[in-house]
Amino acid sequence: RYLGIDYGTKRIGLALATTPGLFAYPHSVVKNTPRVVERIAAICREEKVEEIVLGWSLNYQREENRLMKRIHAFREALALATNLPVNLEDEVLTTVEATRDIGVDDLTDARATAIILPSSLARRNKHN
């Protein structure tokens, strides 16, 4: 199983995929608290996650934005806590796409993550 993560300073969206590249579904949105890494590590154990895909926050010039310093620290802490690979994947415009038909709700961040995850896994499998 694969866990997708859309990191935000207040909320973190989570999505799961069981088959690389086919389908991902929103799992939950968790508050970004000092214990969030522990909470996500527990979800990884419960869901038997084998790999994590973390949204890579880039600007329109394809450069890392201000949030990336926090994302890099989060990535390191998560890799240490889970002992799983944590790969970065471009997340540009996924939140816009996630709100296009439904609008903003409690699962917006998780839906955005469900958009990132399948394309990342499919692209990776194509190159293997």
Side-chain angles (χ1 to χ4, degrees), residues 10-55:
K10 295 180 183 175
R11 294 177 310 281
I12 297 174
L14 306 175
L16 289 170
T18 54
T19 306
L22 293 182
F23 181 74
Y25 58 93
H27 178 275
S28 59
V29 175
V30 296
K31 289 185 180 179
N32 191 346
T33 68
R35 298 183 59 110
V36 73
V37 169
E38 293 172 41
R39 180 146 185 223
I40 294 173
I43 291 169
C44 288
R45 287 189 299 276
E46 291 165 14
E47 298 291 344
K48 297 177 178 53
V49 170
E50 299 170 15
E51 184 178 328
I52 298 170
V53 176
L54 175 60

Side-chain angles (χ1 to χ4, degrees), residues 110-128:
R111 283 198 319 275
T113 306
I115 293 167
I116 298 167
L117 191 52
S119 59
S120 168
L121 298 174
R123 187 172 34 265
R124 192 167 330 129
N125 287 337
K126 185 187 282 187
H127 289 75
N128 290 337

Side-chain angles (χ1 to χ4, degrees), residues 9-124:
T9 57
K10 295 180 183 175
R11 294 177 310 281
I12 297 174
L14 306 175
L16 289 170
T18 54
T19 306
L22 293 182
F23 181 74
Y25 58 93
H27 178 275
S28 59
V29 175
V30 296
K31 289 185 180 179
N32 191 346
T33 68
R35 298 183 59 110
V36 73
V37 169
E38 293 172 41
R39 180 146 185 223
I40 294 173
I43 291 169
C44 288
R45 287 189 299 276
E46 291 165 14
E47 298 291 344
K48 297 177 178 53
V49 170
E50 299 170 15
E51 184 178 328
I52 298 170
V53 176
L54 175 60
W56 191 6
S57 194
L58 302 173
N59 63 24
Y60 293 115
Q61 288 75 39
R62 314 294 302 151
E63 300 164 341
E64 292 188 354
N65 64 27
R66 294 187 329 242
L67 186 59
M68 280 308 298
K69 185 174 182 178
R70 292 177 81 170
I71 290 174
H72 284 302
F74 175 75
R75 179 185 186 198
E76 289 178 27
L78 195 56
L80 204 66
T82 62
N83 201 31
L84 294 172
V86 181
N87 299 301
L88 293 173
E89 178 64 29
D90 187 358
E91 66 175 23
V92 160
L93 296 177
T94 54
T95 301
V96 172
E97 189 175 339
T99 61
R100 184 175 298 137
D101 295 328
I102 299 173
V104 176
D105 65 11
D106 292 342
L107 284 177
T108 297
D109 297 312
R111 283 198 319 275
T113 306
I115 293 167
I116 298 167
L117 191 52
S119 59
S120 168
L121 298 174
R123 187 172 34 265
R124 192 167 330 129

